[in-house]
Amino acid sequence: DWGGGINSSGTLQPGSPSGLFNNVPDGTRTAYANTGASVSQTVGVTAQAGQTYSLVVALGRRAEAVFAFGAVIELLFGNNVVATGTGTAPGLGEWSDFTASYTAQASDAGQ
């Protein structure tokens, strides 16, 4: 249940016969965002102080990509970015996991 951002984003089925990717991670449909677009997901979890929260996203690079890889993942509490993901850029037609983790502080409780 991803929400789309500005410009061009949505869902697609990237595996065969499309040829966009060599495989599909954990499922048959993925979200996509073109340059300048975004994808978001809101979960029904309320932050608790001392609890560590992690966001793991498999980011893909289309097989025919001609531009440099430049995706970013962010973990937000409310409207505040609390962590930015790190990972290794995927090769053409491949996926790579990016992870953003954050341990909630007392001031984050209830977000």
Side-chain angles (χ1 to χ4, degrees):
D1 189 27
W2 295 297
I6 59 171
N7 296 327
S8 180
S9 62
T11 62
L12 65 98
Q13 188 170 356
S16 294
S18 74
L20 298 176
F21 294 91
N22 299 332
N23 59 31
V24 181
D26 297 329
T28 59
R29 299 193 67 75
T30 63
Y32 71 88
N34 292 324
T35 301
S38 64
V39 176
S40 64
Q41 185 177 38
T42 301
V43 297
V45 175
T46 302
Q48 296 179 22
Q51 179 70 42
T52 298
Y53 298 89
S54 294
L55 171 66
V56 180
V57 178
L59 297 177
R61 186 169 185 208
R62 291 169 59 142
E64 82 286 8
V66 294
F67 299 106
F69 182 80
V72 175
I73 69 163
E74 297 174 325
L75 178 61
L76 285 77
F77 283 4
N79 292 323
N80 300 315
V81 175
V82 296
T84 300
T86 59
T88 302
L92 293 176
E94 299 295 331
W95 300 87
S96 181
D97 285 346
F98 279 65
T99 302
S101 294
Y102 177 74
T103 301
Q105 306 300 307
S107 60
D108 298 317
Q111 292 289 320

